[in-house]
Amino acid sequence: MGETTVNSLDDRTTPSSPIGADGRWAWLGARSPRRPRIWFELLLIALSYWVYSLIRNAVPEQKAEALRNADWIWRAEESLGLAFEHAVNHAVNSVTWLIVTMNYYYATLHFVVTIGVLVWLYRGHPGRYAAFRTVIFATTAVALVGYYLYPLAPPRLMENKDFIDTVLVHHTWGSMASGDLKHVSNQYAAMPSMHIGWSLWCGLTIFFLAKVPWARVLGLLYPAATLVVIVATANHFWLDAVGGVICLAFGFLVAYFWYGTWPHRLSKQVEPLTAVEPRASAPAKGAGVAADVRTDADHEERVGSGT
């Protein structure tokens, strides 16, 4: 038998999902991506970020517990011989232009690059846009659970550890984590790090979909640079980054089960539905032989009757 295809009114004609072919996860019913609508996407993203910020900042700060958890994280890293945040924080802070650049990087690129990648997906990969958007939405949603269950103070707020709050020292703007804006943001929502979760989402999306090698390399360098920034500015432990990676893995799994394949393996374009002509049914076994016998009998009858 040939390869079966599924015709979707939503978007396209595509080979059936391999998940459904052998019965695995068939009960989930893999979805096909719809053609994105700009007004709906803008509204959805704005509403989702508002809800995310509302929930994140509504989580009880629980300062005492957050500081205890920070001490535990610090001791765990020391036991692993990987408590390098303090050294990085002080070393980078000694180079003013570098730490100021990192402060602005932390405050801005988290949003600018993420929105830029979403726009690139919408315009250049509409067939994959919804799946990748599902990844980042699911990643962010599960992070909220982490903020609620595990309040964690960032290194800059730890007591008697001599971490430098680089935003306060260098009077840079834009960060919700320090300065005047800290009063409208939950200061004890460091685990998991969505700077890492979102930047790694951006990096992997670019790596999987970009055609030119240098763009793919930049995609991988972006989350690596973000890791350096969140540690140097004393906004996160490196273990917070591990939490962000775990959340992103969850997001990719949600998209995998929802669409029946990994987002980058979906069709680039959302093709319009085209009418498919029905195939001529194959003759039943033996039908051709019976037809030949009837034809020969008719011919002999006409010859015998002189017609």
Side-chain angles (χ1 to χ4, degrees):
M1 294 178 65
E3 184 181 44
T4 57
T5 59
V6 176
N7 296 324
S8 171
L9 292 175
D10 294 334
D11 49 19
R12 61 195 176 93
T13 300
T14 183
S16 296
S17 167
I19 293 180
D22 60 7
R24 289 181 301 143
W25 313 110
W27 59 277
L28 287 171
R31 276 74 171 174
S32 295
R34 301 170 181 266
R35 181 177 296 279
R37 296 177 175 84
I38 184 64
W39 64 268
F40 175 78
E41 295 302 326
L42 290 175
L43 181 62
L44 180 63
I45 292 171
L47 181 63
S48 299
Y49 185 73
W50 176 77
V51 171
Y52 163 75
S53 299
L54 188 67
I55 295 175
R56 180 181 186 273
N57 297 332
V59 173
E61 289 197 347
Q62 300 171 309
K63 178 179 178 180
E65 183 179 356
L67 290 172
R68 285 195 300 271
N69 289 338
D71 287 334
W72 186 92
I73 290 286
W74 184 246
R75 290 194 302 270
E77 291 186 350
E78 285 182 324
S79 67
L80 295 172
L82 295 172
F84 51 75
E85 289 90 347
H86 187 275
V88 173
N89 175 234
H90 280 256
V92 177
N93 186 70
S94 65
V95 183
T96 302
W97 68 266
L98 182 58
I99 192 60
V100 168
T101 300
M102 287 189 175
N103 283 343
Y104 288 126
Y105 179 117
Y106 184 88
T108 60
L109 292 193
H110 180 53
F111 303 103
V112 173
V113 176
T114 304
I115 293 173
V117 172
L118 282 169
V119 171
W120 175 61
L121 284 169
Y122 180 88
R123 293 178 59 87
H125 300 264
R128 298 163 177 156
Y129 171 85
F132 276 103
R133 187 241 292 141
T134 298
V135 173
I136 196 169
F137 275 31
T139 299
T140 306
V142 75
L144 292 173
V145 178
Y147 299 148
Y148 183 83
L149 296 178
Y150 195 77
L152 179 67
R156 60 186 173 78
L157 293 182
M158 293 180 69
E159 299 172 352
N160 303 318
K161 298 299 182 183
D162 194 30
F163 280 99
I164 301 171
D165 190 329
T166 59
V167 170
L168 288 179
V169 170
H170 297 281
H171 307 289
T172 51
W173 57 266
S175 175
M176 298 291 287
S178 299
D180 295 334
L181 294 177
K182 68 182 180 180
H183 302 294
V184 296
S185 177
N186 184 0
Q187 296 298 292
Y188 302 104
M191 172 69 84
S193 169
M194 281 297 94
H195 272 75
I196 291 299
W198 288 13
S199 66
L200 186 57
W201 174 85
C202 292
L204 290 177
T205 301
I206 294 171
F207 176 77
F208 284 133
L209 302 184
K211 294 181 179 180
V212 292
W214 62 264
R216 301 179 72 191
V217 171
L218 285 178
L220 295 181
L221 288 177
Y222 175 52
T226 301
L227 176 60
V228 175
V229 167
I230 66 172
V231 170
T233 56
N235 280 296
H236 287 282
F237 299 97
W238 66 264
L239 279 176
D240 300 341
V242 175
V245 172
I246 293 172
C247 289
L248 182 64
F250 172 82
F252 270 105
L253 285 175
V254 169
Y256 179 81
F257 291 134
W258 188 259
Y259 291 100
T261 188
W262 299 114
H264 65 281
R265 293 184 176 176
L266 291 167
S267 174
K268 179 179 179 180
Q269 301 295 332
V270 180
E271 300 172 3
L273 179 68
T274 56
V276 180
E277 296 183 2
R279 302 177 188 175
S281 58
K285 184 177 180 180
V289 176
D292 291 342
V293 171
R294 287 196 300 271
T295 301
D296 292 343
D298 292 343
H299 176 69
E300 291 175 357
E301 183 178 348
R302 286 195 299 272
V303 172
S305 61
T307 59

mmCIF file of all heavy atoms in Angstrom, residues 118-141:
data_model
loop_
_atom_site.group_PDB
_atom_site.id
_atom_site.type_symbol
_atom_site.label_atom_id
_atom_site.label_comp_id
_atom_site.label_asym_id
_atom_site.label_seq_id
_atom_site.Cartn_x
_atom_site.Cartn_y
_atom_site.Cartn_z
ATOM 1 N N LEU A 118 9.782 35.124 16.979
ATOM 2 C CA LEU A 118 8.370 34.862 16.717
ATOM 3 C C LEU A 118 7.931 35.503 15.396
ATOM 4 O O LEU A 118 7.198 34.886 14.604
ATOM 5 C CB LEU A 118 7.511 35.383 17.866
ATOM 6 C CG LEU A 118 7.460 34.518 19.128
ATOM 7 C CD1 LEU A 118 6.806 35.288 20.279
ATOM 8 C CD2 LEU A 118 6.716 33.208 18.876
ATOM 9 N N VAL A 119 8.363 36.738 15.139
ATOM 10 C CA VAL A 119 8.022 37.423 13.883
ATOM 11 C C VAL A 119 8.631 36.682 12.692
ATOM 12 O O VAL A 119 7.974 36.494 11.661
ATOM 13 C CB VAL A 119 8.500 38.882 13.917
ATOM 14 C CG1 VAL A 119 8.339 39.536 12.538
ATOM 15 C CG2 VAL A 119 7.722 39.671 14.970
ATOM 16 N N TRP A 120 9.873 36.243 12.837
ATOM 17 C CA TRP A 120 10.544 35.484 11.768
ATOM 18 C C TRP A 120 9.800 34.182 11.475
ATOM 19 O O TRP A 120 9.604 33.811 10.311
ATOM 20 C CB TRP A 120 11.988 35.213 12.188
ATOM 21 C CG TRP A 120 12.760 34.341 11.256
ATOM 22 C CD1 TRP A 120 13.045 34.585 9.936
ATOM 23 C CD2 TRP A 120 13.369 33.071 11.566
ATOM 24 N NE1 TRP A 120 13.789 33.557 9.409
ATOM 25 C CE2 TRP A 120 14.006 32.622 10.381
ATOM 26 C CE3 TRP A 120 13.451 32.300 12.716
ATOM 27 C CZ2 TRP A 120 14.703 31.416 10.339
ATOM 28 C CZ3 TRP A 120 14.148 31.114 12.670
ATOM 29 C CH2 TRP A 120 14.763 30.676 11.493
ATOM 30 N N LEU A 121 9.377 33.496 12.517
ATOM 31 C CA LEU A 121 8.600 32.270 12.322
ATOM 32 C C LEU A 121 7.275 32.571 11.625
ATOM 33 O O LEU A 121 6.866 31.856 10.698
ATOM 34 C CB LEU A 121 8.327 31.604 13.672
ATOM 35 C CG LEU A 121 9.470 30.841 14.332
ATOM 36 C CD1 LEU A 121 9.101 30.491 15.765
ATOM 37 C CD2 LEU A 121 9.810 29.579 13.553
ATOM 38 N N TYR A 122 6.595 33.613 12.060
ATOM 39 C CA TYR A 122 5.295 33.959 11.498
ATOM 40 C C TYR A 122 5.405 34.257 10.008
ATOM 41 O O TYR A 122 4.569 33.821 9.206
ATOM 42 C CB TYR A 122 4.723 35.161 12.244
ATOM 43 C CG TYR A 122 3.374 35.605 11.736
ATOM 44 C CD1 TYR A 122 2.202 35.053 12.240
ATOM 45 C CD2 TYR A 122 3.274 36.587 10.747
ATOM 46 C CE1 TYR A 122 0.962 35.453 11.770
ATOM 47 C CE2 TYR A 122 2.040 36.992 10.271
ATOM 48 C CZ TYR A 122 0.890 36.426 10.789
ATOM 49 O OH TYR A 122 -0.328 36.831 10.305
ATOM 50 N N ARG A 123 6.442 34.986 9.630
ATOM 51 C CA ARG A 123 6.592 35.405 8.234
ATOM 52 C C ARG A 123 7.240 34.334 7.367
ATOM 53 O O ARG A 123 6.846 34.127 6.211
ATOM 54 C CB ARG A 123 7.416 36.693 8.150
ATOM 55 C CG ARG A 123 6.722 37.896 8.749
ATOM 56 C CD ARG A 123 7.622 39.125 8.683
ATOM 57 N NE ARG A 123 7.999 39.436 7.299
ATOM 58 C CZ ARG A 123 7.278 40.185 6.482
ATOM 59 N NH1 ARG A 123 6.130 40.716 6.898
ATOM 60 N NH2 ARG A 123 7.688 40.435 5.255
ATOM 61 N N GLY A 124 8.230 33.643 7.892
ATOM 62 C CA GLY A 124 8.994 32.723 7.068
ATOM 63 C C GLY A 124 8.646 31.250 7.226
ATOM 64 O O GLY A 124 8.936 30.449 6.336
ATOM 65 N N HIS A 125 8.033 30.890 8.355
ATOM 66 C CA HIS A 125 7.717 29.480 8.619
ATOM 67 C C HIS A 125 6.315 29.358 9.215
ATOM 68 O O HIS A 125 6.155 28.845 10.328
ATOM 69 C CB HIS A 125 8.750 28.881 9.574
ATOM 70 C CG HIS A 125 10.149 28.922 9.075
ATOM 71 N ND1 HIS A 125 10.752 27.861 8.436
ATOM 72 C CD2 HIS A 125 11.087 29.924 9.107
ATOM 73 C CE1 HIS A 125 11.989 28.193 8.105
ATOM 74 N NE2 HIS A 125 12.214 29.432 8.499
ATOM 75 N N PRO A 126 5.292 29.813 8.497
ATOM 76 C CA PRO A 126 3.936 29.793 9.074
ATOM 77 C C PRO A 126 3.443 28.402 9.436
ATOM 78 O O PRO A 126 2.646 28.245 10.356
ATOM 79 C CB PRO A 126 3.082 30.424 7.964
ATOM 80 C CG PRO A 126 3.874 30.260 6.712
ATOM 81 C CD PRO A 126 5.312 30.356 7.125
ATOM 82 N N GLY A 127 3.927 27.376 8.727
ATOM 83 C CA GLY A 127 3.502 26.021 9.037
ATOM 84 C C GLY A 127 4.080 25.501 10.340
ATOM 85 O O GLY A 127 3.547 24.550 10.930
ATOM 86 N N ARG A 128 5.153 26.105 10.816
ATOM 87 C CA ARG A 128 5.806 25.679 12.059
ATOM 88 C C ARG A 128 5.580 26.649 13.202
ATOM 89 O O ARG A 128 5.919 26.345 14.362
ATOM 90 C CB ARG A 128 7.316 25.542 11.806
ATOM 91 C CG ARG A 128 7.672 24.494 10.765
ATOM 92 C CD ARG A 128 9.081 24.680 10.249
ATOM 93 N NE ARG A 128 9.436 23.637 9.299
ATOM 94 C CZ ARG A 128 10.377 23.763 8.360
ATOM 95 N NH1 ARG A 128 11.054 24.902 8.259
ATOM 96 N NH2 ARG A 128 10.645 22.779 7.541
ATOM 97 N N TYR A 129 5.039 27.806 12.882
ATOM 98 C CA TYR A 129 4.882 28.872 13.875
ATOM 99 C C TYR A 129 4.092 28.416 15.100
ATOM 100 O O TYR A 129 4.526 28.590 16.238
ATOM 101 C CB TYR A 129 4.209 30.083 13.232
ATOM 102 C CG TYR A 129 3.820 31.150 14.220
ATOM 103 C CD1 TYR A 129 4.733 32.121 14.632
ATOM 104 C CD2 TYR A 129 2.535 31.180 14.771
ATOM 105 C CE1 TYR A 129 4.382 33.090 15.556
ATOM 106 C CE2 TYR A 129 2.177 32.142 15.702
ATOM 107 C CZ TYR A 129 3.094 33.091 16.082
ATOM 108 O OH TYR A 129 2.752 34.039 17.016
ATOM 109 N N ALA A 130 2.922 27.837 14.877
ATOM 110 C CA ALA A 130 2.056 27.463 15.996
ATOM 111 C C ALA A 130 2.726 26.445 16.908
ATOM 112 O O ALA A 130 2.579 26.505 18.137
ATOM 113 C CB ALA A 130 0.730 26.923 15.470
ATOM 114 N N ALA A 131 3.463 25.508 16.336
ATOM 115 C CA ALA A 131 4.122 24.481 17.146
ATOM 116 C C ALA A 131 5.220 25.087 18.011
ATOM 117 O O ALA A 131 5.339 24.774 19.206
ATOM 118 C CB ALA A 131 4.688 23.389 16.243
ATOM 119 N N PHE A 132 6.039 25.969 17.419
ATOM 120 C CA PHE A 132 7.095 26.607 18.203
ATOM 121 C C PHE A 132 6.509 27.553 19.245
ATOM 122 O O PHE A 132 7.053 27.694 20.343
ATOM 123 C CB PHE A 132 8.063 27.357 17.285
ATOM 124 C CG PHE A 132 9.138 26.480 16.703
ATOM 125 C CD1 PHE A 132 9.069 26.043 15.393
ATOM 126 C CD2 PHE A 132 10.226 26.088 17.469
ATOM 127 C CE1 PHE A 132 10.052 25.224 14.854
ATOM 128 C CE2 PHE A 132 11.223 25.282 16.946
ATOM 129 C CZ PHE A 132 11.135 24.842 15.633
ATOM 130 N N ARG A 133 5.403 28.211 18.907
ATOM 131 C CA ARG A 133 4.731 29.056 19.882
ATOM 132 C C ARG A 133 4.189 28.222 21.037
ATOM 133 O O ARG A 133 4.247 28.616 22.204
ATOM 134 C CB ARG A 133 3.610 29.835 19.213
ATOM 135 C CG ARG A 133 2.967 30.882 20.117
ATOM 136 C CD ARG A 133 1.503 30.577 20.321
ATOM 137 N NE ARG A 133 0.739 30.738 19.111
ATOM 138 C CZ ARG A 133 -0.250 29.919 18.765
ATOM 139 N NH1 ARG A 133 -0.538 28.871 19.514
ATOM 140 N NH2 ARG A 133 -0.962 30.130 17.666
ATOM 141 N N THR A 134 3.696 27.037 20.736
ATOM 142 C CA THR A 134 3.226 26.135 21.782
ATOM 143 C C THR A 134 4.361 25.769 22.729
ATOM 144 O O THR A 134 4.170 25.671 23.945
ATOM 145 C CB THR A 134 2.634 24.863 21.155
ATOM 146 O OG1 THR A 134 1.501 25.213 20.352
ATOM 147 C CG2 THR A 134 2.199 23.867 22.224
ATOM 148 N N VAL A 135 5.552 25.568 22.183
ATOM 149 C CA VAL A 135 6.720 25.230 23.010
ATOM 150 C C VAL A 135 6.982 26.311 24.053
ATOM 151 O O VAL A 135 7.112 26.034 25.248
ATOM 152 C CB VAL A 135 7.970 25.019 22.133
ATOM 153 C CG1 VAL A 135 9.216 24.847 23.019
ATOM 154 C CG2 VAL A 135 7.802 23.808 21.235
ATOM 155 N N ILE A 136 7.054 27.556 23.594
ATOM 156 C CA ILE A 136 7.425 28.627 24.535
ATOM 157 C C ILE A 136 6.290 28.913 25.514
ATOM 158 O O ILE A 136 6.535 29.253 26.684
ATOM 159 C CB ILE A 136 7.847 29.903 23.775
ATOM 160 C CG1 ILE A 136 8.603 30.845 24.724
ATOM 161 C CG2 ILE A 136 6.672 30.599 23.116
ATOM 162 C CD1 ILE A 136 9.280 31.997 24.036
ATOM 163 N N PHE A 137 5.044 28.742 25.088
ATOM 164 C CA PHE A 137 3.927 28.935 26.010
ATOM 165 C C PHE A 137 3.934 27.865 27.098
ATOM 166 O O PHE A 137 3.738 28.167 28.282
ATOM 167 C CB PHE A 137 2.601 28.899 25.249
ATOM 168 C CG PHE A 137 2.205 30.218 24.648
ATOM 169 C CD1 PHE A 137 3.171 31.122 24.229
ATOM 170 C CD2 PHE A 137 0.879 30.559 24.498
ATOM 171 C CE1 PHE A 137 2.824 32.338 23.672
ATOM 172 C CE2 PHE A 137 0.511 31.781 23.941
ATOM 173 C CZ PHE A 137 1.489 32.673 23.524
ATOM 174 N N ALA A 138 4.126 26.616 26.712
ATOM 175 C CA ALA A 138 4.151 25.529 27.694
ATOM 176 C C ALA A 138 5.354 25.670 28.627
ATOM 177 O O ALA A 138 5.255 25.396 29.834
ATOM 178 C CB ALA A 138 4.197 24.182 26.978
ATOM 179 N N THR A 139 6.481 26.102 28.090
ATOM 180 C CA THR A 139 7.677 26.323 28.908
ATOM 181 C C THR A 139 7.412 27.363 29.980
ATOM 182 O O THR A 139 7.743 27.175 31.162
ATOM 183 C CB THR A 139 8.839 26.785 28.012
ATOM 184 O OG1 THR A 139 9.139 25.774 27.048
ATOM 185 C CG2 THR A 139 10.076 27.087 28.841
ATOM 186 N N THR A 140 6.807 28.462 29.580
ATOM 187 C CA THR A 140 6.529 29.546 30.518
ATOM 188 C C THR A 140 5.486 29.139 31.550
ATOM 189 O O THR A 140 5.584 29.501 32.729
ATOM 190 C CB THR A 140 6.065 30.791 29.743
ATOM 191 O OG1 THR A 140 7.035 31.114 28.734
ATOM 192 C CG2 THR A 140 5.911 31.978 30.674
ATOM 193 N N ALA A 141 4.493 28.382 31.109
ATOM 194 C CA ALA A 141 3.441 27.954 32.037
ATOM 195 C C ALA A 141 3.993 27.073 33.148
ATOM 196 O O ALA A 141 3.651 27.251 34.327
ATOM 197 C CB ALA A 141 2.342 27.216 31.267
#
